[in-house]
Amino acid sequence: MFFQDVRMASGPGLPDSLVLEIFLHLPHKAVLSAGFTCRQWFAVSRDEFLWKELFYNYYCIPRSVPRHPAAVSWYREFKRLYDCIPCVEVQTLKEHHDQVLHLAFSHRGHRFSSCSKDCTVKLWDTERSDGTISLVHSSSMRQFNWGYTQFSQFNADDTLLLVSGVYLGPHHSSSGEIAVISLENYTLLSRVRNKPYDVFGCWLNETHLISGNLHWIGNMTSCSVLWLNKAFQDIESENVNVVKRLFKIQNINASTIRTVMVAHCRRHDSPDLLLDYEAQSQAQAQAQRTQQHQPLFFDLGNTDSEEEEDEHDEDEEDEERGEKRVSAHLPACNPSGIQHVIHGHHSIATRDRELETKVARLMGSRRTKAPDPNLVSPTAPGEGEDKTYLLFTTGSLTYSPHQIGIKRIMPDQMTTCGPVLGEERNTDEFFDSLDHVIDIHGHIIGMGLSPDHRYLYVNSRAWPAGCVISDPMSPPPIAEEIDLHVIDLKSLREERRSLRAHRAFTPNDECFFIFLDVSRDFVASGAEDKHGYIWDRHYNICLARLKHDDVVNSVAFSPADQELLLSASDDSTIKVWRSPRMVRLAEALQRPPRARKLLSSLFGHRSANLNGKP
């Protein structure tokens, strides 16, 4: 009504330039309302220059950041960020009875799994006709002496579910197990030992998974062994190996390998999103020169037995000595718990640790297989070959995970066929070297891959700038702010500045994993401040905060619809979030047919009026 009064008082009509100048000083909702006053104002309210200004001002984005390469207009881009973010809570699932730790979608998006401190893994259906999510199956793992379930992952064809858990046992135990469940009849197909438990485990392909083992060589030095396991035994298993050693890696300064994941980096990839703005411009220019009519970027649309014996002996030794093994979920290793240094002053203990580390480095350098620089190297677009990387957290200065380790998995390593202990090696090549290491300079508390496996997103809590670590058992204090780093697995470098908004408060020795997830356009993460967060990947801006009553441990986007997001919390709930656009569509479908017909006729009448028809 206000705009109609202004229109009537303005006489014959204001020039478009003046209307535009007025609209530039209005909020976007007022601009949209004014657009329904008359045809002239509607045309001005869709002006590209107007929405470009509204876009940069409303979202506080630096002018140096270009528009998303797949966006067709500033108006639609504003609407995408405003209307297509899954920030409306539509359902709360309360079937878990303790902290919910992890969520994972199937590749089709029709199911998802949840893990919890109540020691169950639950499967949920997302394809009900009424749009709600319902529980399909629940399995308790207590019969296998598990303390709780902590992680799950669907295999590539969504027929098997990997479930990772933590054994019940002595407080200082770090052992876990991986179970494989058939999704056809929910039967248990196999169980695999996993140590330490925060290796988690992951699928390499549809039928093989990766697990970990840990052997302590000294008080501060250990060896991590990564195993390839066949997910189930069949008739041929009598003649074919079901396990094979992939890598054997030395750890120093009480660090261990944790959080393994597999990235399939394609040579001729068409990335969901190029995060390097300069690379975006170059790619667009190249596309224009070659006159390629196919879209360069995605369409946004409508928006061994000996080993087992060694491991058993080590577990008994751990329990007898009461040593604290480092893990992301348990208190850190205490110097007083190490028998070799329990006597004497702290300075003597520090010198002993330094001596062990020096000896370990010296022995390791002589007994480690030399790295092949050609296995992992930055590649230019269209060059090189398809590569499969094993990614994991590790360290070299202290027990807290502060580095990303990368090992390339070769084609002949992707099956358990061949020698159980892997390829033959010289006696001097006892350990495998890391192909590439990226130092994060902080405590890593989460990792996630983009859907195209081009980018690795890393949650970390930074160390103070310029800090020096003199004692590996006393890492630097960590920041309360969580930094979300972005690493390009094609160039093997960090892209742009890290994202920041979420917070954590636990100290080093109580720090735990916070799972993040990445969709085509967005990245989301949990936090200890009782909220989940969503950022836009292209613009590096925080778009939404998702409220819970306790720590948010995990978030997960539906791979079929990024406007559907789940969040899991210590408050024992899973919350379901949808975008405002999807909520409106669902409400419209739920109206009686007569009401929908009346609404459509009203909107049709309004559209006719805008076109100047009676």
Side-chain angles (χ1 to χ4, degrees), residues 284-575:
Q284 288 177 318
Q286 177 67 22
Q288 292 174 356
R289 286 196 299 269
T290 56
Q291 295 182 344
Q292 293 178 346
H293 297 290
Q294 296 180 352
L296 178 64
F297 302 96
F298 61 85
D299 181 14
L300 287 175
N302 293 328
T303 60
D304 74 328
S305 60
E306 187 175 332
E307 291 276 356
E308 288 291 335
E309 291 175 7
D310 291 344
E311 186 176 339
H312 179 69
D313 292 341
E314 287 175 5
D315 287 342
E316 290 181 347
E317 291 174 7
D318 284 354
E319 295 176 18
E320 291 172 5
R321 293 185 298 181
E323 294 187 47
K324 292 186 178 180
R325 294 308 182 202
V326 181
S327 92
H329 300 269
L330 293 178
C333 186
N334 191 325
S336 63
I338 301 176
Q339 296 299 316
H340 288 128
V341 297
I342 195 170
H343 304 294
H345 297 291
H346 179 73
S347 59
I348 298 176
T350 302
R351 286 199 296 270
D352 286 348
R353 294 178 197 146
E354 291 176 352
L355 178 60
E356 179 181 329
T357 299
K358 289 180 181 179
V359 172
R361 288 185 187 274
L362 179 62
M363 296 298 293
S365 64
R366 294 179 177 179
R367 303 193 66 184
T368 299
K369 185 177 180 179
D372 184 350
N374 296 319
L375 288 181
V376 178
S377 57
T379 56
E383 297 180 357
E385 56 186 331
D386 292 354
K387 297 177 181 179
T388 299
Y389 292 150
L390 181 66
L391 312 175
F392 46 84
T393 64
T394 183
S396 61
L397 302 176
T398 180
Y399 68 79
S400 64
H402 56 277
Q403 294 175 327
I404 306 295
I406 302 178
K407 282 291 296 179
R408 184 175 176 187
I409 302 176
M410 304 305 291
D412 62 331
Q413 294 178 296
M414 296 188 187
T415 173
T416 53
C417 296
V420 172
L421 299 183
E423 63 177 7
E424 295 184 4
R425 60 182 74 201
N426 298 327
T427 55
D428 292 339
E429 297 178 345
F430 188 79
F431 299 113
D432 293 293
S433 59
L434 300 186
D435 294 328
H436 192 77
V437 177
I438 300 173
D439 203 306
I440 300 298
H441 195 78
H443 194 129
I444 298 171
I445 60 170
M447 296 198 303
L449 285 165
S450 61
D452 58 2
H453 288 202
R454 172 67 183 264
Y455 295 98
L456 176 68
Y457 286 74
V458 182
N459 265 337
S460 79
R461 296 174 61 183
W463 292 336
C467 66
V468 177
I469 301 175
S470 56
D471 182 358
M473 303 313 299
S474 299
I478 51 179
E480 289 190 353
E481 294 81 10
I482 302 175
D483 292 325
L484 188 49
H485 304 264
V486 188
I487 297 169
D488 186 347
L489 294 178
K490 200 81 169 176
S491 64
L492 298 176
R493 64 172 183 170
E494 187 170 352
E495 292 288 343
R496 305 187 191 167
R497 59 177 177 82
S498 58
L499 306 174
R500 179 179 287 182
H502 46 334
R503 298 172 66 85
F505 310 105
T506 51
N508 261 310
D509 56 353
E510 299 176 14
C511 205
F512 55 86
F513 213 76
I514 293 178
F515 294 94
L516 58 95
D517 197 26
V518 189
S519 73
R520 185 187 63 193
D521 293 337
F522 311 123
V523 55
S525 174
E528 290 185 39
D529 58 9
K530 303 181 182 180
H531 287 86
Y533 290 83
I534 304 176
W535 294 265
D536 182 82
R537 292 176 59 193
H538 175 76
Y539 298 109
N540 265 31
I541 54 172
C542 184
L543 296 170
R545 298 170 77 238
L546 314 175
K547 183 175 176 54
H548 270 269
D549 294 329
D550 210 328
V551 172
V552 178
N553 296 304
S554 178
V555 293
F557 286 103
S558 168
D561 179 10
Q562 66 175 357
E563 295 181 45
L564 168 61
L565 177 73
L566 307 172
S567 59
S569 170
D570 278 359
D571 62 16
S572 304
T573 69
I574 300 169
K575 289 191 175 184

Side-chain angles (χ1 to χ4, degrees), residues 153 201-205 208-210 246 259-265 387-392 409 414 449 453 489:
Q153 186 181 45
C202 66
W203 290 104
L204 175 60
N205 50 41
H208 293 79
L209 60 97
I210 296 173
L246 280 177
T259 321
V260 297
M261 58 176 57
V262 171
H264 299 284
C265 300
K387 297 177 181 179
T388 299
Y389 292 150
L390 181 66
L391 312 175
F392 46 84
I409 302 176
M414 296 188 187
L449 285 165
H453 288 202
L489 294 178

Side-chain angles (χ1 to χ4, degrees), residues 230 232-242:
K230 195 169 184 179
F232 51 86
Q233 297 186 16
D234 46 30
I235 297 176
E236 298 179 353
S237 296
E238 295 181 1
N239 304 312
V240 180
N241 295 328
V242 294

Side-chain angles (χ1 to χ4, degrees), residues 77-93:
E77 187 67 349
F78 191 108
K79 187 177 180 180
R80 178 181 74 87
L81 295 189
Y82 191 82
D83 212 28
C84 300
I85 311 300
C87 58
V88 181
E89 180 183 344
V90 296
Q91 192 176 358
T92 301
L93 308 174

